[in-house]
Amino acid sequence: MLVDSPPEQRAETAPAPPTRRAIRVLGLFASVVLLVLVALASIAIGAKSLPLGDVWHGLFHDTGTYADVVVDDRISRTVLGLLAGAALGLSGAVLQALTRNPLADPGLLGINAGASAAVVTAITYFGVTSLSGYVWFAFAGAAVVGALVWFLGGSRGATPVRLALAGTAISAALYGYLQAVMIMDDAALSKMRFWTVGSLASATGSTITQVAPFFAVGTVVSLLLARPLNAVAMGDDTARALGANLNRTRALAMLSATVLCGAATAACGPIVFVGLMVPHVVRSFTGPDLRWILPYATILSPVLLLGADVLGRLIARPAELQVGIVTAVIGGPVFIYLVRRRRTTQL
């Protein structure tokens, strides 16, 4: 005869519910799996259709055939998409924490504008025509603007509001300069037209090699700032009480965001909304803890960027739609939704 156990015993023997940390870890693992699948799709799917057998052959056998060359190009494109996507998402999350504005993105501090203005200057006044030349000018422009925003924002006395205002003002001035130069110089306009859209199509091993060290340094610094930025997000007084060094944290956050976004913009052109959307969406299920937001943003941002790139190849075959256009089309409605949702929440 079966006898039911007492309620206390049943409670003790019942499996414990998964903790929030365990759920986050499982979600992080699922995100990695999703990233791998999207990366494989980026290699297998292109504007020009290739049988999967040819793709497989191109991955593991280099015989110089047309299919092998196409696969090699796709691999470079995928690797750059992984690096640039992670950089944009991570820099967006850092800037949102730095400015205490969940709708901030790398363009808020003028980094994209600085890179674009430097590239148009290089084309118009220095005759630079190669992507390898664009990379260094774009990165230098992003770095100069990042430093200028930090200085105008008050340097050691910088506050989120001052940084945002300085970035907005510099962006407006630089975009005015960029448009003026492009209107007066038809050659610059034709050369800049493709770069300013934002694309992974020009990815090469050389470009990846040049920007990879910046991605690595910026990623490490950003991830190490998770705890200090958590304190900064609570307000200056609370952060000081918790022992956070506000000036150092803000300076390193500006530096890491500038390095990451500058390198991504230099290699791919200005790609919008990735740095805005992904950290904001991640925050909705991880909470405000940057120790989880930053790793999730690093993994899921390339998912968005590569997914948009694959979509752009599919919908315009045999041509392709640049990834910057696809992310803008996706990001516009999402941004409106986020703004309306935030306003409704505040009301």
Side-chain angles (χ1 to χ4, degrees):
M1 183 176 181
L2 297 176
V3 180
D4 286 341
S5 302
E8 296 81 5
Q9 185 177 347
R10 289 201 302 269
E12 291 176 359
T13 58
T19 64
R20 190 170 185 180
R21 178 183 176 85
I23 293 174
R24 287 170 171 173
V25 171
L26 288 175
L28 209 56
F29 176 76
S31 299
V32 172
V33 173
L34 179 61
L35 178 59
V36 171
L37 293 177
V38 173
L40 292 176
S42 178
I43 296 173
I45 302 172
K48 298 179 180 179
S49 180
L50 284 179
L52 288 179
D54 290 351
V55 174
W56 181 265
H57 185 276
L59 284 172
F60 298 101
H61 304 86
D62 187 10
T63 57
T65 64
Y66 170 77
D68 296 343
V69 173
V70 171
V71 171
D72 287 343
D73 289 341
R74 290 182 188 175
I75 292 174
S76 297
R77 185 170 184 159
T78 301
V79 172
L80 183 59
L82 291 171
L83 295 175
L88 291 172
L90 196 53
S91 62
V94 168
L95 291 176
Q96 287 175 13
L98 177 65
T99 60
R100 299 177 199 156
N101 180 359
L103 298 180
D105 75 333
L108 180 67
L109 298 186
I111 298 172
N112 285 344
S116 299
V119 170
V120 79
T121 299
I123 292 173
T124 304
Y125 299 110
F126 297 100
V128 178
T129 58
S130 66
L131 182 62
S132 59
Y134 294 167
V135 166
W136 293 108
F137 274 92
F139 185 78
V144 169
V145 169
L148 186 58
V149 168
W150 175 250
F151 175 76
L152 294 178
S155 187
R156 291 184 177 275
T159 63
V161 174
R162 287 181 180 179
L163 291 173
L165 290 175
T168 301
I170 292 175
S171 292
L174 288 178
Y175 277 124
Y177 162 77
L178 189 150
Q179 294 299 323
V181 172
M182 291 174 65
I183 289 173
M184 292 186 295
D185 190 335
D186 292 338
L189 175 61
S190 63
K191 293 174 183 176
M192 280 289 293
R193 185 170 50 190
F194 182 79
W195 186 84
T196 53
V197 169
S199 174
L200 300 175
S202 299
T204 63
S206 174
T207 302
I208 295 171
T209 301
Q210 291 179 65
V211 297
F214 299 106
F215 287 134
V217 171
T219 299
V220 171
V221 173
S222 296
L223 293 176
L224 290 176
L225 287 173
R227 287 182 180 274
L229 283 174
N230 273 340
V232 170
M234 298 179 185
D236 291 1
D237 294 336
T238 304
R240 291 190 186 95
L242 293 173
N245 187 322
L246 291 176
N247 292 329
R248 183 178 63 189
T249 299
R250 285 173 177 156
L252 289 175
M254 274 290 299
L255 176 63
S256 64
T258 299
V259 168
L260 287 170
C261 185
T265 304
C268 310
I271 297 176
V272 297
F273 285 117
V274 175
L276 165 65
M277 284 191 294
V278 176
H280 194 88
V281 171
V282 166
R283 192 180 296 106
S284 68
F285 60 82
T286 64
D289 191 346
L290 286 161
R291 292 175 297 177
W292 291 102
I293 292 175
L294 296 183
Y296 266 103
T298 304
I299 296 171
L300 291 178
S301 296
V303 172
L304 173 61
L305 187 62
L306 287 177
D309 190 42
V310 171
L311 182 63
R313 299 181 222 173
L314 288 174
I315 62 180
R317 277 182 171 178
E320 67 177 74
L321 200 61
Q322 281 73 28
V323 67
I325 298 175
V326 179
T327 58
V329 170
I330 296 173
V334 172
F335 181 74
I336 294 173
Y337 167 75
L338 293 177
V339 171
R340 290 183 59 85
R341 181 184 176 189
R342 178 172 171 79
R343 182 179 178 185
T344 303
T345 303
Q346 290 176 341
L347 293 176

